[in-house]
């Protein structure tokens, strides 16, 4: 019960990467807003001057969004800097320029060759009465996966007692409706 909910909580590394990506997205959105303000907002507001109320509302909205973006941008920048993912240790030894391109092409070619030749998995112990699996040949099906393994992490975080009580709650509600109907 407790271990299951603890196991589905994202690790600190995954949470840090998620915060980094969110901060990067917010900074990009603020940048796009400021570019729009710089190049296109004047014509948008000028087109509203035939109706002064709409022009006033647009100017108010742009002023409010400008102040909000000035507050959000430093916060997002600090999250971006604090949650920066670590560089891989092999990044110092990576080739650059044409040597890197040649290395990537070679990796792609070897990856295509490795995918065409599938490694065979060793056969497990044969149970009595079960047909033996052949030692060679591709597997015809994936091993059984639970339904929970395909769910989103947020849904996985639902405690088991709450999830199991859902059917009981449904049957109790149905019984109550039957009582009210009679």
């Amino acid at each position: 019960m407790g271990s299951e909910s603890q196991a589905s909580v994202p690790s600190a590394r995954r949470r840090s990467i998620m915060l980094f990506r969110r901060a990067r997205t917010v900074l990009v959105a603020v940048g796009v807003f400021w570019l729009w303000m710089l190049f296109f907002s004047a014509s948008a507001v000028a087109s509203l001057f035939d109706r002064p109320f709409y022009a006033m509302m647009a100017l108010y909205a742009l002023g409010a969004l400008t102040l909000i973006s000035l507050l959000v941008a430093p916060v997002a920048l600090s999250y971006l800097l604090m949650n920066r993912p670590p560089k891989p240790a092999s990044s110092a030894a990576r080739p650059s320029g044409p040597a890197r391109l040649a290395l990537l092409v070679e990796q792609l070619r070897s990856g295509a060759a490795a995918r065409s030749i599938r490694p065979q998995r060793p056969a497990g112990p044969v149970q009595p009465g079960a047909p033996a699996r052949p030692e060679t040949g591709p597997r015809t099906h994936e091993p059984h996966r639970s339904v929970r393994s395909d769910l989103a992490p947020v849904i996985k975080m639902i405690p088991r007692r709450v999830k199991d009580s859902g059917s009981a709650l449904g049957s109790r509600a149905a019984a109550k409706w039957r009582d009210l109907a009679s």
Side-chain angles (χ1 to χ4, degrees), residues 120-146:
Q120 301 300 324
R121 295 177 62 162
V126 178
Q127 296 182 4
R133 285 193 294 168
E135 292 290 327
T136 59
R139 287 187 69 153
T140 57
H141 65 281
E142 291 287 321
H144 177 69
R145 292 173 45 177
S146 68

Side-chain angles (χ1 to χ4, degrees), residues 106-127:
E106 185 179 328
Q107 286 176 350
L108 286 174
R109 286 182 184 161
S110 65
R115 277 183 256 137
S116 64
I117 303 171
R118 292 183 134 179
Q120 301 300 324
R121 295 177 62 162
V126 178
Q127 296 182 4

Side-chain angles (χ1 to χ4, degrees), residues 164-178:
D164 293 341
S165 68
S167 60
L169 181 66
S171 60
R172 281 186 285 171
K176 189 177 254 186
W177 277 104
R178 280 192 301 266

Side-chain angles (χ1 to χ4, degrees), residues 27 68 91 96 101 119 124 144:
L27 277 178
I68 290 171
S91 66
S96 62
L101 182 62
H144 177 69

Side-chain angles (χ1 to χ4, degrees), residues 9-71:
V9 174
S11 67
R13 179 177 165 87
R14 286 181 55 195
R15 186 171 187 277
S16 176
I17 291 172
M18 178 181 63
L19 289 173
F20 176 82
R21 289 179 180 167
R22 285 182 182 174
R24 184 179 60 193
T25 303
V26 167
L27 277 178
V28 167
V30 167
V32 166
F33 171 73
W34 276 94
L35 285 174
W36 179 81
M37 283 279 293
L38 183 64
F39 294 115
F40 303 110
S41 67
S43 62
V45 173
S47 69
L48 297 173
F49 274 123
D50 57 331
R51 301 201 182 197
F53 178 74
Y54 293 134
M56 181 183 65
M57 292 301 290
L59 287 175
Y60 178 76
L62 287 175
L65 286 175
T66 302
L67 292 176
I68 290 171
S69 72
L70 288 174
L71 293 173

